[in-house]
């Protein structure tokens, strides 16, 4: 069993829909990261969370430390949001990232 | 402030050759991480370096792979005697300090193809 699990693996949505991607982890963490990998392959850091909730534009990330669960929400989705969204964690004092397998999102017109 | 730079972006090698991948961290960052993404798989940690020191190489294959981050110049990931299974995207990331709660900034990756 992976230390970081994401669901769903694949997600197709129509433009304008509200999207939720889930991440569960089985280890103690210092922080949880949400990353976006575009079709061209580049990786961008979206959020780093250790508690609570963060918002940036149409993106919202939440984390529940007790339940070891995080969600990434996209409001008013757009085709340009199509990408792979990756959850990753850092644990203890170690700064290396442990990754989930990613959620492939396709937003259609 | 330039971001993390990696070169080459694409590298083709024949089996048995050596591959050298370079990573220049963001200005002011002295911590570099290398990650590998095999085809249709997730990202996996390989090695974490500070200037002139390997801090954690727990994700590095025991043979043929080495990494360095010299006092001057980029970090280099070296793969000797490449095999087809080494074909992957190799990403480096940098951060200014070694804190588990710090954001890591990723380079564009080097896509290695072994023929």
């Amino acid at each position: 069993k992976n230390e970081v699990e994401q669901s769903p693996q694949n997600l197709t949505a129509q433009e304008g829909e509200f999207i939720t991607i889930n991440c569960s982890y089985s280890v103690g963490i210092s922080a949880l990261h949400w990353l976006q990998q575009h079709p061209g392959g580049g990786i961008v850091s979206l959020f780093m969370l250790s508690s609570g909730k963060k918002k940036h534009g149409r993106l919202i990330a939440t984390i529940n430390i007790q339940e070891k669960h995080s969600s990434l929400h996209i409001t008013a989705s757009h085709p340009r949001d199509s990408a792979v969204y990756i959850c990753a964690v850092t644990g203890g004092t170690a700064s290396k990232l442990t990754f989930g397998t990613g959620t492939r999102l396709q937003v259609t017109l | 402030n330039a971001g993390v730079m990696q070169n080459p972006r694409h590298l083709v090698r024949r089996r048995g050759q050596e591959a050298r991948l370079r990573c220049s961290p963001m200005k002011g960052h002295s911590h570099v991480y290398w990650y590998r993404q095999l085809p249709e798989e997730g990202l996996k940690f390989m090695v974490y370096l500070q200037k002139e020191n390997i801090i954690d190489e727990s994700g590095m294959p025991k043979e043929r792979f080495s990494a360095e981050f010299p006092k001057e110049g980029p970090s280099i990931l070296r793969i000797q005697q490449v095999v087809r299974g080494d074909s992957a995207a190799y990403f480096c990331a940098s951060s200014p300090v070694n804190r588990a709660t710090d954001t890591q900034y990723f380079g564009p990756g080097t896509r290695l193809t072994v023929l």
Side-chain angles (χ1 to χ4, degrees):
Chain A
K1 191 178 188 303
N2 290 333
E3 292 179 343
V4 183
E5 298 274 359
Q6 285 186 239
S7 63
Q9 281 192 303
N10 295 284
L11 182 56
T12 300
Q14 285 201 314
E15 185 178 12
E17 284 186 14
F18 180 84
I19 288 162
T20 297
I21 299 170
N22 296 299
C23 176
S24 297
Y25 52 92
S26 57
V27 294
I29 67 167
S30 299
L32 184 141
H33 304 248
W34 281 102
L35 310 168
Q36 180 190 55
Q37 185 170 27
H38 275 282
I43 299 170
V44 174
S45 180
L46 298 174
F47 294 104
M48 193 277 295
L49 295 161
S50 50
S51 65
K53 176 180 175 178
K54 286 190 177 179
K55 185 175 187 292
H56 185 255
R58 295 180 295 105
L59 300 177
I60 303 167
T62 64
I63 188 168
N64 184 317
I65 297 293
Q66 285 73 32
E67 294 187 3
K68 295 187 175 177
H69 181 269
S70 175
S71 292
L72 176 69
H73 305 286
I74 305 174
T75 61
S77 59
H78 190 275
R80 65 174 174 265
D81 297 326
S82 298
V84 176
Y85 291 83
I86 303 168
C87 171
V89 300
T90 51
T93 56
S95 48
K96 67 183 181 186
L97 291 166
T98 300
F99 300 88
T101 51
T103 295
R104 188 175 300 274
L105 171 65
Q106 180 77 32
V107 181
T108 59
L109 292 168
Chain B
N1 188 11
V4 178
M5 308 202 33
Q6 288 187 250
N7 67 80
R9 296 289 302 276
H10 299 274
L11 181 61
V12 179
R13 285 287 178 266
R14 296 192 181 280
R15 281 178 296 169
Q17 290 185 320
E18 178 180 286
R20 281 186 179 234
L21 288 61
R22 294 174 185 76
C23 169
S24 296
M26 286 181 72
K27 189 176 179 181
H29 289 194
S30 58
H31 301 262
V32 166
Y33 310 81
W34 284 94
Y35 299 99
R36 178 166 69 172
Q37 187 173 39
L38 292 166
E40 304 305 319
E41 291 190 23
L43 287 149
K44 295 278 195 299
F45 167 78
M46 298 184 76
V47 62
Y48 161 43
L49 310 104
Q50 293 179 31
K51 286 281 186 182
E52 299 185 276
N53 286 301
I54 297 174
I55 306 301
D56 181 355
E57 56 182 346
S58 59
M60 286 275 270
K62 294 287 183 272
E63 297 176 350
R64 302 187 297 107
F65 284 72
S66 63
E68 63 176 7
F69 189 15
K71 187 177 180 181
E72 302 290 338
S75 175
I76 295 176
L77 180 68
R78 182 181 177 211
I79 312 172
Q80 295 178 289
Q81 298 177 318
V82 295
V83 301
R84 290 223 173 99
D86 297 332
S87 295
Y90 292 82
F91 291 92
C92 81
S94 73
S95 66
V97 293
N98 171 30
R99 254 197 326 247
T101 52
D102 249 11
T103 296
Q104 292 182 19
Y105 297 86
F106 283 79
T110 293
R111 276 141 192 88
L112 172 66
T113 301
V114 180
L115 300 177

